[in-house]
Amino acid sequence: MGDGALSGWERSSTARVMAPARPRKLAKVPFVELADGRLQGVVSSGSDIGRVYVSSVTAGAYAYACSTNNNRPCGGARGSYCNHIAALIREAVLQYGAVRVARYLKCDLGDTEPDAASLTHAMASTRPSPGDSKAAATVFSRFLRHLAYLECDPTTAPLPEMQWFPPTRAVA
């Protein structure tokens, strides 16, 4: 090693951040993630500026859950995906790309071109059951933690909660 070249360990010791597949507007779906075996996120209410919905779809079974930030069930998620879940899927496709979302959710689209509409249709056509909404608190907590970073001043100093990442170019 010389001239600033990084070893294999050093190159692989930091978290890589993937750029979004396409830019997206955050007003309707401010938070979306593929985590914990679910597509999950926070979707703004169309009727009340102070209300958000925590929505999720489970990988493989496509079980869905949608409730408000204060754990009241979504009125539109009765027997099928509500508009909040459809918006979540659309934004996930913008953020991660249709192929990655379909692969994560274990959704076989066959010969259909992968996009948000075909993904939603393929999952909804299996007649998924309502899922467990216990994860809503965790998802909403992650969303609030992400919002807290917006209030931080720009800095190159490490953030205390990120200290578990190993430093780069460290000598063991």
Side-chain angles (χ1 to χ4, degrees), residues 1-6 169:
M1 277 195 321
D3 298 328
L6 299 175
R169 299 185 181 156

Side-chain angles (χ1 to χ4, degrees), residues 135-162:
T138 305
V139 174
F140 193 65
S141 176
R142 284 183 187 163
F143 168 62
L144 293 177
R145 187 172 57 233
H146 279 74
L147 284 180
Y149 289 119
L150 296 175
E151 296 176 358
C152 293
D153 294 327
T155 181
T156 57
L159 295 171
E161 61 269 20
M162 302 296 272

